[in-house]
Amino acid sequence: MPRRHALELFLKQVQMFRHLSAAERQRAAAACRERSFDRGEAIFHEGHPSDSVWLVREGRVHLLHYLTGGRVQTTCVMAPGESFCCLPALDRGSYPATAVAATPAKVIQLPTSVFHELMQGSPAMAQETLCTFCTRLRQVEAKGCLAHDPVDRRIAQALLTLQKKFGETIPMTRQEIADLVGTTVETAIRTISRFQKEGRVRSTRGKLALLQPDALKQLLS
Amino acid sequence: MPRRHALELFLKQVQMFRHLSAAERQRAAAACRERSFDRGEAIFHEGHPSDSVWLVREGRVHLLHYLTGGRVQTTCVMAPGESFCCLPALDRGSYPATAVAATPAKVIQLPTSVFHELMQGSPAMAQETLCTFCTRLRQVEAKGCLAHDPVDRRIAQALLTLQKKFGETIPMTRQEIADLVGTTVETAIRTISRFQKEGRVRSTRGKLALLQPDALKQLLS
DNA sequence: ACAGGGGTATGATCTGGATCATACTGTGGA
DNA sequence: TCCACAGTATGATCCAGATCATACCCCTGT
């Protein structure tokens, strides 16, 4: 079954699963369910009970909170190969955020029960999971201490981070960047336009390339 | 040795260690080193390598980041019985924040190596550690999505959280509260004075009591 | 007893960025 | 082909909160 095989290859590229044995990976793949979501569609909602761990197969998924006044605060942007919201799988709590497909997306859903079995059977996977977790905590912590910096610095920081994730070209709109750094579209547009005038970035509709990363880094001083 | 015995009793009250057997707790107590710090003194610094897990025995300890311009961003306030900065013990990275004694404080230092031994030997402790961790991640996440709310809401939220930690009276100055919510002393003073006029809180020098928690909660709407 | 400093208080002013308004442009769908 | 809409752009105005200045109060150490 080639589809199954492709899935196993995919799992091999996911950090948390990369040290599973072939048999374990087969076991995981057998329990996976692949689902498709349209752009803008919610995958799950903050506060709802969780019974699955999720992986991005294709497209882009955002973790976000709806704020009072209809505003959106995006806390995390996930690219293919990344897992998201393992936290409720570990503490059996509810989803800490809402997940939305930011583009048409294929995601993989692995039941928490199977996730636990795998982790019990594989110390390496438990270790990787813990590691993923630690990384996430450090990220959130780092982002938190930029929260009250001026907007241009927050945007510069976000772009540098996104570049690490997406490479040369960042496939996001100003609105999405605004939601990510906690500002308005207008301000995001003005700031990024300024960056462009200063030769730091180049942008086309829905895309954004960093010309000289160092030129952004110097904003972070 | 009564001192040793007191220490074991203390460990029993720390969430992470509460399920250790008497023998394991003895082992832990034997490896602990107690240290005293003056108010304002640093316990460790962000970015430095870590070889210990820390517990607050007496006093109050703040985790914080120094920002550009000499500002301080406090990310966490720890009361007696709480552990802090276990993260580097798990991922063997460096300290993610600086710890400062906010009052004269006694803290307990447990070598990472012993911490790992204990965790290896006690699944219950491993579970508790993970749990502490998850809680921390949820807290940080929750705080993050309030970051761009108006100051009065951030302060109200902080006071409610602090009340859970300290009970009726919160032993903190306006400056400390300002650093915690990411604002200036002046704004913190004005806001809290307003709360007082509105009958929501009562304050004396360095202390602050919530009169009607519900009156603050309604600010969070 | 007194001096000095940290904590609290309050006014005046300034500004980054939100808000409101309007318009242009590229893209996808009928 | 053209319409509708999402994304981008830009100006005008407004305001929460930072910044600057000054003062008072209470505690601690000498």
Side-chain angles (χ1 to χ4, degrees):
Chain A
M1 200 184 287
R3 182 189 183 82
R4 175 64 59 80
H5 187 62
L7 185 51
E8 285 173 37
L9 276 181
F10 171 74
L11 288 183
K12 206 167 176 173
Q13 289 165 33
V14 175
Q15 166 155 19
M16 269 169 32
F17 299 118
R18 64 178 173 183
H19 291 125
L20 289 185
S21 68
E24 287 164 332
R25 203 149 47 230
Q26 236 168 6
R27 166 88 187 88
C32 283
R33 180 179 160 203
E34 182 167 316
R35 299 176 59 186
S36 293
F37 292 89
D38 293 336
R39 177 187 153 103
E41 207 178 345
I43 299 172
F44 52 73
H45 289 275
E46 175 175 2
H48 285 196
S50 160
D51 61 357
S52 303
V53 165
W54 301 81
L55 309 174
V56 183
R57 179 82 191 259
E58 272 180 46
R60 185 159 44 87
V61 171
H62 288 188
L63 296 185
L64 49 83
H65 297 266
Y66 294 108
L67 307 180
T68 59
R71 298 280 278 266
V72 164
Q73 171 72 50
T74 301
T75 59
C76 198
V77 174
M78 319 295 309
E82 293 190 275
S83 55
F84 57 102
C85 270
C86 308
L87 197 148
L90 293 177
D91 68 4
R92 293 162 197 284
S94 54
Y95 286 119
T98 299
V100 170
T103 65
K106 288 197 169 66
V107 305
I108 287 171
Q109 184 174 12
L110 177 68
T112 299
S113 55
V114 179
F115 176 79
H116 273 123
E117 274 172 40
L118 289 165
M119 210 160 62
Q120 230 101 58
S122 164
M125 175 175 148
Q127 185 61 40
E128 285 291 351
T129 302
L130 191 60
C131 214
T132 304
F133 225 68
C134 290
T135 305
R136 175 99 182 100
L137 187 49
R138 283 178 188 272
Q139 279 170 358
V140 176
E141 190 95 15
K143 198 180 163 187
C145 78
L146 281 177
H148 303 289
D149 274 12
V151 167
D152 55 356
R153 205 176 301 204
R154 302 209 303 273
I155 291 185
Q157 177 62 57
L159 294 183
L160 288 167
T161 307
L162 289 168
Q163 196 198 26
K164 277 191 204 120
K165 189 162 295 208
F166 291 109
E168 204 46 33
T169 301
I170 298 165
M172 288 175 62
T173 67
R174 321 285 157 145
Q175 179 69 66
E176 289 175 318
I177 291 170
D179 291 343
L180 184 60
V181 304
T183 184
T184 57
V185 219
E186 294 93 328
T187 302
I189 286 172
R190 284 186 238 266
T191 304
I192 294 174
S193 296
R194 209 189 77 215
F195 285 174
Q196 185 148 357
K197 279 200 195 80
E198 294 165 349
R200 303 178 200 269
V201 306
R202 192 170 39 77
S203 83
T204 61
R205 190 188 180 83
K207 291 193 175 151
L208 210 151
L210 306 205
L211 293 180
Q212 359 167 5
D214 293 344
L216 282 177
K217 269 178 205 143
Q218 84 193 31
L219 282 179
L220 306 178
S221 61
Chain B
M1 201 184 284
R3 181 188 183 81
R4 176 66 57 82
H5 187 63
L7 186 50
E8 286 174 37
L9 277 180
F10 171 73
L11 289 183
K12 205 167 177 171
Q13 289 165 31
V14 175
Q15 166 155 19
M16 268 170 32
F17 299 115
R18 64 179 173 181
H19 291 125
L20 290 184
S21 68
E24 288 164 332
R25 201 149 47 231
Q26 236 168 6
R27 167 88 186 88
C32 283
R33 180 179 160 203
E34 182 166 316
R35 299 175 60 186
S36 293
F37 292 88
D38 293 336
R39 176 188 154 102
E41 207 177 344
I43 300 172
F44 53 73
H45 289 276
E46 176 175 2
H48 286 196
S50 160
D51 61 357
S52 303
V53 164
W54 301 82
L55 309 173
V56 183
R57 180 82 191 258
E58 272 180 44
R60 185 159 44 87
V61 171
H62 288 189
L63 296 185
L64 49 84
H65 297 266
Y66 294 108
L67 307 180
T68 58
R71 298 279 279 266
V72 164
Q73 171 72 51
T74 301
T75 59
C76 197
V77 174
M78 320 293 311
E82 293 189 275
S83 55
F84 58 103
C85 270
C86 309
L87 196 147
L90 293 178
D91 69 3
R92 295 164 196 283
S94 54
Y95 286 119
T98 299
V100 169
T103 65
K106 288 199 168 68
V107 305
I108 287 172
Q109 184 174 13
L110 178 67
T112 300
S113 55
V114 179
F115 176 78
H116 273 123
E117 275 174 39
L118 289 165
M119 211 161 61
Q120 230 100 61
S122 164
M125 175 177 148
Q127 184 61 41
E128 286 291 351
T129 302
L130 191 60
C131 213
T132 304
F133 224 68
C134 290
T135 305
R136 175 97 182 102
L137 188 49
R138 283 179 188 273
Q139 279 171 357
V140 176
E141 190 95 16
K143 198 180 165 191
C145 78
L146 281 178
H148 303 289
D149 274 13
V151 168
D152 56 356
R153 205 176 302 202
R154 302 209 303 272
I155 291 185
Q157 177 61 57
L159 295 183
L160 288 167
T161 306
L162 289 167
Q163 195 198 27
K164 277 191 205 121
K165 188 163 295 209
F166 292 109
E168 205 45 34
T169 301
I170 298 165
M172 288 174 63
T173 67
R174 320 285 157 144
Q175 180 68 66
E176 289 175 318
I177 291 169
D179 291 344
L180 184 60
V181 304
T183 184
T184 57
V185 218
E186 294 94 328
T187 303
I189 286 172
R190 285 187 238 266
T191 305
I192 294 174
S193 296
R194 209 191 76 214
F195 285 174
Q196 184 148 358
K197 278 199 196 79
E198 294 165 349
R200 303 178 199 269
V201 307
R202 192 169 40 73
S203 84
T204 61
R205 191 188 180 81
K207 290 190 178 156
L208 210 152
L210 306 205
L211 293 180
Q212 358 166 8
D214 293 344
L216 281 177
K217 269 178 205 145
Q218 83 195 31
L219 282 180
L220 306 178
S221 61

